[in-house]
Amino acid sequence: EKNDTLLSEKDLIATIEKHIRQYEASYVVVKSDSRYSAISLYLQRAGFIFMENQIDLRANKKDIADSVEKYRKVCAGAHCRLADEEDIQMIFSEMERGIFDTDRVALDPYFGIKAANRRYLFWIQDELERGAWATIYTFEDAPIGFSLDKASADGKTIISLLGGLFNQPETRRLGAIFKYAGAVGFCNSGFLFLKTAVSSNNLNILQLHLAFGCRITAIKNVLIKHCP
């Protein structure tokens, strides 16, 4: 965080190592605003490896509504619905096929795609228990993907935690359809703003977010370390 820039390199690393010992951590992830380049340099000298940038995005209803009108004709047939229990099980089955393959866990030789998708599966279960909800996206009545979302504390913002296309040949080129369906769903909701984050390893989804009204609000460097 910003106050960490006041620490010397020695004190910063010592603080992180203290947490590693406290939690007996074998895998550590550190995120730092890309504006604080010195922190990333300190971490890399201490054996941390840069894996990705996390790009934070935000949009308001007007900008998303404008994008919906722009793409309405080319994205006809796209819809979304609240997922039921059967849909949740379908999402989990699809994740076993390896939906997510570009994040830091999937690209890490210590873990890989299977572990990355298992991690997301457990995360979905946790978030659903905490009040989040899942949405199914369809094209011409066929399921093509899903998202996991929650509301902000003030109820004005939908926070998109996770989303992806199902790993099937017929869905791979439907990214714009998927995003359009979500944009329509947002415009029909009572939310005023949308917040999400994407990995720099997935430029396709970043471009789609920007095309549908999102703006970049922050970029974080993400570094990892496997502890002996």
Side-chain angles (χ1 to χ4, degrees):
E1 296 178 345
K2 185 175 182 179
N3 287 341
D4 293 328
T5 62
L6 302 176
L7 298 175
S8 68
E9 177 175 353
K10 180 179 178 180
D11 289 339
L12 177 68
I13 301 304
T15 300
I16 293 174
E17 290 178 345
K18 176 183 176 182
H19 290 307
I20 292 174
R21 292 192 299 271
Q22 178 181 353
Y23 296 104
E24 299 180 350
S26 57
Y27 174 68
V28 184
V29 180
V30 181
K31 297 180 181 180
S32 175
D33 194 299
S34 60
R35 292 175 296 175
Y36 311 135
S37 57
I39 290 181
S40 294
L41 292 173
Y42 295 166
L43 292 169
Q44 290 177 80
R45 281 198 284 262
F48 284 80
I49 299 171
F50 175 83
M51 288 297 291
E52 64 183 354
N53 288 118
Q54 177 182 301
I55 303 171
D56 294 342
L57 300 159
R58 186 177 186 273
N60 60 46
K61 180 159 281 187
K62 181 184 181 304
D63 288 339
I64 292 181
D66 289 344
S67 70
V68 166
E69 290 303 316
K70 181 179 179 181
Y71 294 103
R72 187 180 298 278
K73 290 184 179 180
V74 296
C75 294
H79 301 282
C80 64
R81 67 171 190 269
L82 191 65
D84 58 22
E85 185 56 39
E86 184 177 344
D87 291 325
I88 298 296
Q89 295 307 313
M90 176 182 65
I91 292 170
F92 291 163
S93 295
E94 289 291 335
M95 293 182 75
E96 292 179 359
R97 297 162 60 96
I99 294 177
F100 301 103
D101 58 6
T102 61
D103 67 284
R104 66 174 181 273
V105 177
L107 297 176
D108 190 330
Y110 283 88
F111 298 123
I113 294 175
K114 185 175 181 179
N117 282 267
R118 190 186 314 124
R119 165 180 174 256
Y120 283 124
L121 189 154
F122 292 144
W123 185 29
I124 291 171
Q125 291 176 329
D126 289 344
E127 291 294 344
L128 290 175
E129 291 178 1
R130 288 193 282 258
W133 63 91
T135 300
I136 293 292
Y137 297 86
T138 64
F139 179 59
E140 296 178 347
D141 298 325
I144 62 171
F146 82 99
S147 69
L148 178 72
D149 308 283
K150 69 177 184 179
S152 62
D154 63 8
K156 295 181 180 180
T157 303
I158 183 171
I159 302 171
S160 184
L161 301 169
L162 183 66
L165 288 167
F166 295 143
N167 190 14
Q168 299 180 21
E170 61 270 24
T171 65
R172 290 174 183 170
R173 298 184 181 274
L174 297 179
I177 299 289
F178 171 85
K179 194 70 182 71
Y180 172 83
V184 172
F186 171 79
C187 290
N188 292 334
S189 74
F191 294 104
L192 300 178
F193 306 99
L194 178 144
K195 290 177 65 176
T196 190
V198 301
S199 168
S200 58
N201 297 331
N202 192 342
L203 290 180
N204 289 336
I205 190 61
L206 173 60
Q207 290 170 338
L208 284 173
H209 279 302
L210 296 176
F212 280 88
C214 284
R215 300 178 182 180
I216 297 173
T217 58
I219 299 177
K220 299 181 180 71
N221 295 330
V222 182
L223 300 98
I224 62 103
K225 186 176 186 180
H226 293 271
C227 304

